[in-house]
Amino acid sequence: MTQQNVVVSDPKSGINLTIPVSNSSALFTTAAQKPPPGPGPGSCITISRKTLVEINGNNSARINSWVESMRASSPTHHKSSPALSDDLNSWMVQHPSALDMFEQIISASKGKQIVMFLDYDGTLSPIVEDPDQAFMSDAMRATVRKLARYFPTAIVSGRCRDKVYSFVRLAELYYAGSHGMDIKGPSKGSKYKKGAQAVLFQPASEFLPMIDEVYKKLVDITKSTEGVRVENNKFCASVHFRCVDEKKWGELAQVVRSVLKEYPKLRLTQGRKVLEIRPTIKWDKGKALEFLLESLGN
Ligand SMILES: O=P(O)(O)OC[C@H]1O[C@H](O[C@H]2O[C@H](CO)[C@@H](O)[C@H](O)[C@H]2O)[C@H](O)[C@@H](O)[C@@H]1O
């Protein structure tokens, strides 16, 4: 039995899902058939592996390449032209929404369990300047609620798990915060999981005091940089560059790296206009996915 990625889309909300299933079906579009550019950030649900640029090396070339990479990772979105909208509309006609076809998707999966893994920022919510204001819409919440009625659904984020929960507010989901280092199952147990034991897994708990200490140092050392924002994500921390003058990015990155030099057990990675400080343990979102699949008995 071959496994294929299935892309499903909804013309009303503009949501796209990529689902690994066991068999292909004429009902669905394969991942290779990408839709024309969509309506913008926050309108898609995708499962993708983010390219992270390690910047723990010593030379400034690395810093420069990281700054370039960060610029490219979160480009300004332009409104789609009428021609593009036409393309999108005709694409949508040929590829009907799968959000109204969950029964058919389950049937096409031929008994295989489908599990939904969703990112939060830029996926369920639009990218905004203030990380505390990255709210998801009621329509998106309703869609995720519907999804979770059919499939075990997990939100996997770089953020603190409690923060993600405060945005999503759906108790029936699995949440993996801090880049997968803080995993918790539904508080009332899950209809999908074998056994009554609730899922809770925190492989980096020994790093909690260290991350807290580094977070405080970073807040202090960056306080004179206009626009900077340091976020404590419990088992990791983020330094936000989005509102900092781009001419200052290289300098700010050096400052962040100077703090990290005292912490060989921590590493720096790069996201969308953000530098992330994480433990060096061999655990990431991918491992969290494997853990959840395992605990769901797949
Ligand atoms: O790996 P992710 O789950 O995508 O988490 C990465 C970071 O996501 C959040 O920051 C991003 O969204 C913010 C709100 O839209 C935006 O202001 C920021 O520029 C983006 O990088 C979160 O706030 C960070 O802590 C995560 O590291």
Side-chain angles (χ1 to χ4, degrees):
M1 195 178 285
T2 53
Q3 178 155 310
Q4 288 226 338
N5 278 342
V6 164
V7 175
V8 295
S9 62
D10 175 42
K12 282 171 268 172
S13 67
I15 285 172
N16 295 311
L17 303 173
T18 306
I19 310 170
V21 296
S22 55
N23 267 339
S24 62
S25 160
L27 273 177
F28 310 126
T29 310
T30 64
Q33 292 171 271
K34 289 213 170 122
S43 60
C44 293
I45 300 177
T46 51
I47 304 167
S48 63
R49 194 183 167 91
K50 188 166 50 170
T51 310
L52 295 173
V53 180
E54 298 278 351
I55 60 161
N56 287 347
N58 281 327
N59 57 43
S60 59
R62 259 177 193 275
I63 290 279
N64 289 341
S65 84
W66 165 73
V67 167
E68 283 315 311
S69 167
M70 192 161 62
R71 268 195 200 102
S73 73
S74 201
T76 308
H77 287 270
H78 300 290
K79 283 196 168 166
S80 38
S81 64
L84 275 181
S85 304
D86 289 350
D87 281 355
L88 185 61
N89 285 339
S90 68
W91 189 90
M92 290 295 194
V93 170
Q94 288 164 35
H95 304 83
S97 170
L99 294 179
D100 300 321
M101 292 185 172
F102 288 155
E103 304 287 355
Q104 291 95 320
I105 292 171
I106 289 167
S107 149
S109 72
K110 297 248 189 295
K112 280 222 165 188
Q113 174 74 74
I114 295 172
V115 183
M116 289 290 162
F117 293 103
L118 309 171
D119 196 357
Y120 184 75
D121 289 281
T123 300
L124 298 180
S125 69
I127 290 293
V128 293
E129 287 192 348
D130 180 352
D132 287 344
Q133 303 290 316
F135 302 114
M136 73 192 280
S137 66
D138 289 342
M140 186 64 89
R141 184 172 298 101
T143 300
V144 176
R145 186 184 285 119
K146 181 179 167 190
L147 202 58
R149 280 205 287 270
Y150 288 87
F151 313 104
T153 300
I155 300 192
V156 186
S157 171
R159 288 198 191 237
C160 169
R161 176 167 54 78
D162 288 345
K163 184 85 196 179
V164 180
Y165 184 79
S166 75
F167 286 138
V168 179
R169 288 181 277 117
L170 292 173
E172 60 270 45
L173 306 188
Y174 288 79
Y175 291 86
S178 305
H179 286 284
M181 291 179 281
D182 190 5
I183 302 175
K184 193 166 185 297
S187 30
K188 289 183 187 157
S190 167
K191 61 178 176 179
Y192 302 108
K193 190 185 166 296
K194 294 166 189 162
Q197 216 182 348
V199 177
L200 179 68
F201 188 58
Q202 297 179 326
S205 46
E206 69 186 273
F207 287 90
L208 210 51
M210 193 185 283
I211 293 290
D212 208 42
E213 188 179 295
V214 168
Y215 164 74
K216 286 176 186 146
K217 282 190 183 177
L218 287 168
V219 169
D220 190 53
I221 203 167
T222 62
K223 65 182 176 218
S224 60
T225 307
E226 209 184 315
V228 75
R229 173 77 179 265
V230 186
E231 194 181 4
N232 189 337
N233 288 332
K234 194 165 179 176
F235 297 109
C236 51
S238 293
V239 180
H240 290 274
F241 285 58
R242 188 166 293 276
C243 297
V244 176
D245 182 349
E246 278 197 36
K247 290 189 217 82
K248 305 254 172 74
W249 283 10
E251 198 183 303
L252 181 57
Q254 291 285 12
V255 166
V256 173
R257 209 177 60 160
S258 72
V259 173
L260 265 283
K261 275 187 182 149
E262 297 164 41
Y263 296 90
K265 287 189 171 173
L266 299 180
R267 66 189 173 117
L268 269 179
T269 55
Q270 168 258 318
R272 284 195 187 109
K273 300 192 178 175
V274 72
L275 269 187
E276 294 164 323
I277 293 95
R278 318 188 196 186
T280 49
I281 61 165
K282 287 189 175 146
W283 194 267
D284 54 20
K285 287 180 174 181
K287 293 277 184 208
L289 258 66
E290 286 170 11
F291 175 89
L292 282 167
L293 287 173
E294 183 77 21
S295 67
L296 284 159
N298 287 275

PDB file of all heavy atoms in Angstrom, residues 29 60 62 66 86 101 130 158 166 182 188 195 210 224 241 252 255 286:
ATOM      1  N   THR A  29      -6.100  15.912  -4.554  1.00  0.00           N
ATOM      2  CA  THR A  29      -4.996  16.463  -5.322  1.00  0.00           C
ATOM      3  C   THR A  29      -3.700  16.070  -4.652  1.00  0.00           C
ATOM      4  O   THR A  29      -3.595  16.186  -3.445  1.00  0.00           O
ATOM      5  CB  THR A  29      -5.088  17.996  -5.272  1.00  0.00           C
ATOM      6  OG1 THR A  29      -6.404  18.350  -5.614  1.00  0.00           O
ATOM      7  CG2 THR A  29      -4.110  18.637  -6.204  1.00  0.00           C
ATOM      8  N   SER A  60      31.426  36.264  11.286  1.00  0.00           N
ATOM      9  CA  SER A  60      30.341  37.198  11.027  1.00  0.00           C
ATOM     10  C   SER A  60      29.624  36.881   9.719  1.00  0.00           C
ATOM     11  O   SER A  60      28.502  37.307   9.501  1.00  0.00           O
ATOM     12  CB  SER A  60      30.881  38.621  10.999  1.00  0.00           C
ATOM     13  OG  SER A  60      31.857  38.709   9.996  1.00  0.00           O
ATOM     14  N   ARG A  62      28.454  34.115   9.017  1.00  0.00           N
ATOM     15  CA  ARG A  62      27.292  33.342   9.442  1.00  0.00           C
ATOM     16  C   ARG A  62      26.159  34.280   9.855  1.00  0.00           C
ATOM     17  O   ARG A  62      24.993  34.068   9.552  1.00  0.00           O
ATOM     18  CB  ARG A  62      27.641  32.461  10.633  1.00  0.00           C
ATOM     19  CG  ARG A  62      27.887  31.051  10.238  1.00  0.00           C
ATOM     20  CD  ARG A  62      28.290  30.241  11.440  1.00  0.00           C
ATOM     21  NE  ARG A  62      28.820  28.966  10.998  1.00  0.00           N
ATOM     22  CZ  ARG A  62      28.056  27.923  10.723  1.00  0.00           C
ATOM     23  NH1 ARG A  62      26.765  27.995  10.871  1.00  0.00           N
ATOM     24  NH2 ARG A  62      28.594  26.811  10.316  1.00  0.00           N
ATOM     25  N   TRP A  66      22.600  34.608   8.075  1.00  0.00           N
ATOM     26  CA  TRP A  66      21.375  34.458   8.846  1.00  0.00           C
ATOM     27  C   TRP A  66      20.453  35.666   8.644  1.00  0.00           C
ATOM     28  O   TRP A  66      19.241  35.514   8.438  1.00  0.00           O
ATOM     29  CB  TRP A  66      21.702  34.295  10.334  1.00  0.00           C
ATOM     30  CG  TRP A  66      20.478  34.517  11.130  1.00  0.00           C
ATOM     31  CD1 TRP A  66      19.414  33.679  11.236  1.00  0.00           C
ATOM     32  CD2 TRP A  66      20.142  35.699  11.836  1.00  0.00           C
ATOM     33  NE1 TRP A  66      18.419  34.274  11.981  1.00  0.00           N
ATOM     34  CE2 TRP A  66      18.854  35.508  12.364  1.00  0.00           C
ATOM     35  CE3 TRP A  66      20.808  36.902  12.083  1.00  0.00           C
ATOM     36  CZ2 TRP A  66      18.221  36.484  13.122  1.00  0.00           C
ATOM     37  CZ3 TRP A  66      20.175  37.856  12.845  1.00  0.00           C
ATOM     38  CH2 TRP A  66      18.898  37.644  13.350  1.00  0.00           C
ATOM     39  N   ASP A  86      -8.466  35.103 -10.412  1.00  0.00           N
ATOM     40  CA  ASP A  86      -9.179  34.276 -11.394  1.00  0.00           C
ATOM     41  C   ASP A  86      -8.576  32.877 -11.435  1.00  0.00           C
ATOM     42  O   ASP A  86      -9.281  31.876 -11.433  1.00  0.00           O
ATOM     43  CB  ASP A  86      -9.095  34.904 -12.795  1.00  0.00           C
ATOM     44  CG  ASP A  86      -9.957  36.158 -12.869  1.00  0.00           C
ATOM     45  OD1 ASP A  86     -10.732  36.384 -11.909  1.00  0.00           O
ATOM     46  OD2 ASP A  86      -9.821  36.906 -13.850  1.00  0.00           O
ATOM     47  N   MET A 101     -15.615  16.902   3.132  1.00  0.00           N
ATOM     48  CA  MET A 101     -15.497  15.519   2.643  1.00  0.00           C
ATOM     49  C   MET A 101     -14.742  14.616   3.615  1.00  0.00           C
ATOM     50  O   MET A 101     -14.049  13.701   3.197  1.00  0.00           O
ATOM     51  CB  MET A 101     -14.724  15.507   1.311  1.00  0.00           C
ATOM     52  CG  MET A 101     -15.447  16.139   0.166  1.00  0.00           C
ATOM     53  SD  MET A 101     -14.457  15.886  -1.313  1.00  0.00           S
ATOM     54  CE  MET A 101     -15.572  16.460  -2.546  1.00  0.00           C
ATOM     55  N   ASP A 130       2.856  42.158  17.013  1.00  0.00           N
ATOM     56  CA  ASP A 130       2.905  41.867  18.445  1.00  0.00           C
ATOM     57  C   ASP A 130       2.537  40.396  18.685  1.00  0.00           C
ATOM     58  O   ASP A 130       1.388  39.995  18.460  1.00  0.00           O
ATOM     59  CB  ASP A 130       1.905  42.798  19.162  1.00  0.00           C
ATOM     60  CG  ASP A 130       1.888  42.576  20.664  1.00  0.00           C
ATOM     61  OD1 ASP A 130       2.530  41.612  21.143  1.00  0.00           O
ATOM     62  OD2 ASP A 130       1.220  43.364  21.366  1.00  0.00           O
ATOM     63  N   GLY A 158       6.311  26.635  18.334  1.00  0.00           N
ATOM     64  CA  GLY A 158       7.518  27.045  19.047  1.00  0.00           C
ATOM     65  C   GLY A 158       7.168  27.775  20.345  1.00  0.00           C
ATOM     66  O   GLY A 158       7.998  27.956  21.221  1.00  0.00           O
ATOM     67  N   SER A 166      -4.204  29.461  25.206  1.00  0.00           N
ATOM     68  CA  SER A 166      -5.006  30.664  25.473  1.00  0.00           C
ATOM     69  C   SER A 166      -5.545  31.276  24.173  1.00  0.00           C
ATOM     70  O   SER A 166      -6.583  31.921  24.176  1.00  0.00           O
ATOM     71  CB  SER A 166      -4.188  31.696  26.268  1.00  0.00           C
ATOM     72  OG  SER A 166      -3.254  32.331  25.419  1.00  0.00           O
ATOM     73  N   ASP A 182       7.104  20.318  25.095  1.00  0.00           N
ATOM     74  CA  ASP A 182       6.068  20.357  26.133  1.00  0.00           C
ATOM     75  C   ASP A 182       4.761  19.826  25.521  1.00  0.00           C
ATOM     76  O   ASP A 182       3.991  20.574  24.915  1.00  0.00           O
ATOM     77  CB  ASP A 182       5.903  21.806  26.616  1.00  0.00           C
ATOM     78  CG  ASP A 182       5.026  21.901  27.845  1.00  0.00           C
ATOM     79  OD1 ASP A 182       4.628  20.851  28.372  1.00  0.00           O
ATOM     80  OD2 ASP A 182       4.755  23.040  28.275  1.00  0.00           O
ATOM     81  N   LYS A 188      -9.457  16.048  29.289  1.00  0.00           N
ATOM     82  CA  LYS A 188     -10.446  15.023  29.686  1.00  0.00           C
ATOM     83  C   LYS A 188     -10.149  13.669  29.045  1.00  0.00           C
ATOM     84  O   LYS A 188     -11.034  12.819  28.933  1.00  0.00           O
ATOM     85  CB  LYS A 188     -11.845  15.476  29.279  1.00  0.00           C
ATOM     86  CG  LYS A 188     -12.357  16.632  30.131  1.00  0.00           C
ATOM     87  CD  LYS A 188     -13.774  16.972  29.727  1.00  0.00           C
ATOM     88  CE  LYS A 188     -14.227  18.240  30.444  1.00  0.00           C
ATOM     89  NZ  LYS A 188     -15.314  18.900  29.733  1.00  0.00           N
ATOM     90  N   GLY A 195      -6.065   3.362  26.253  1.00  0.00           N
ATOM     91  CA  GLY A 195      -5.687   3.509  27.657  1.00  0.00           C
ATOM     92  C   GLY A 195      -6.167   4.847  28.208  1.00  0.00           C
ATOM     93  O   GLY A 195      -6.404   5.800  27.467  1.00  0.00           O
ATOM     94  N   MET A 210      17.501  27.329  33.457  1.00  0.00           N
ATOM     95  CA  MET A 210      18.487  27.945  32.552  1.00  0.00           C
ATOM     96  C   MET A 210      17.805  28.879  31.543  1.00  0.00           C
ATOM     97  O   MET A 210      18.257  29.997  31.287  1.00  0.00           O
ATOM     98  CB  MET A 210      19.260  26.842  31.815  1.00  0.00           C
ATOM     99  CG  MET A 210      20.491  27.350  31.096  1.00  0.00           C
ATOM    100  SD  MET A 210      21.270  26.052  30.132  1.00  0.00           S
ATOM    101  CE  MET A 210      22.116  25.126  31.380  1.00  0.00           C
ATOM    102  N   SER A 224      17.874  48.409  25.386  1.00  0.00           N
ATOM    103  CA  SER A 224      18.068  49.705  24.715  1.00  0.00           C
ATOM    104  C   SER A 224      17.792  49.618  23.206  1.00  0.00           C
ATOM    105  O   SER A 224      17.820  50.627  22.503  1.00  0.00           O
ATOM    106  CB  SER A 224      19.493  50.212  24.969  1.00  0.00           C
ATOM    107  OG  SER A 224      20.395  49.262  24.462  1.00  0.00           O
ATOM    108  N   PHE A 241      12.754  40.220  16.066  1.00  0.00           N
ATOM    109  CA  PHE A 241      13.408  41.289  15.292  1.00  0.00           C
ATOM    110  C   PHE A 241      12.402  42.090  14.458  1.00  0.00           C
ATOM    111  O   PHE A 241      12.763  43.087  13.855  1.00  0.00           O
ATOM    112  CB  PHE A 241      14.439  40.677  14.335  1.00  0.00           C
ATOM    113  CG  PHE A 241      15.709  40.217  15.002  1.00  0.00           C
ATOM    114  CD1 PHE A 241      15.695  39.276  16.011  1.00  0.00           C
ATOM    115  CD2 PHE A 241      16.936  40.723  14.596  1.00  0.00           C
ATOM    116  CE1 PHE A 241      16.873  38.835  16.611  1.00  0.00           C
ATOM    117  CE2 PHE A 241      18.120  40.307  15.193  1.00  0.00           C
ATOM    118  CZ  PHE A 241      18.089  39.355  16.205  1.00  0.00           C
ATOM    119  N   LEU A 252      22.198  43.242  16.753  1.00  0.00           N
ATOM    120  CA  LEU A 252      21.350  42.570  17.751  1.00  0.00           C
ATOM    121  C   LEU A 252      21.655  41.066  17.806  1.00  0.00           C
ATOM    122  O   LEU A 252      21.734  40.471  18.890  1.00  0.00           O
ATOM    123  CB  LEU A 252      19.871  42.822  17.421  1.00  0.00           C
ATOM    124  CG  LEU A 252      18.837  42.209  18.369  1.00  0.00           C
ATOM    125  CD1 LEU A 252      19.024  42.664  19.813  1.00  0.00           C
ATOM    126  CD2 LEU A 252      17.410  42.554  17.908  1.00  0.00           C
ATOM    127  N   VAL A 255      24.675  40.506  19.835  1.00  0.00           N
ATOM    128  CA  VAL A 255      24.398  40.658  21.272  1.00  0.00           C
ATOM    129  C   VAL A 255      23.769  39.370  21.823  1.00  0.00           C
ATOM    130  O   VAL A 255      24.163  38.856  22.877  1.00  0.00           O
ATOM    131  CB  VAL A 255      23.460  41.882  21.504  1.00  0.00           C
ATOM    132  CG1 VAL A 255      22.891  41.870  22.912  1.00  0.00           C
ATOM    133  CG2 VAL A 255      24.204  43.177  21.234  1.00  0.00           C
ATOM    134  N   GLY A 286       9.560  17.464  14.950  1.00  0.00           N
ATOM    135  CA  GLY A 286       9.463  16.159  14.280  1.00  0.00           C
ATOM    136  C   GLY A 286       9.385  15.022  15.293  1.00  0.00           C
ATOM    137  O   GLY A 286       8.583  14.099  15.162  1.00  0.00           O
TER     138      GLY A 286
END
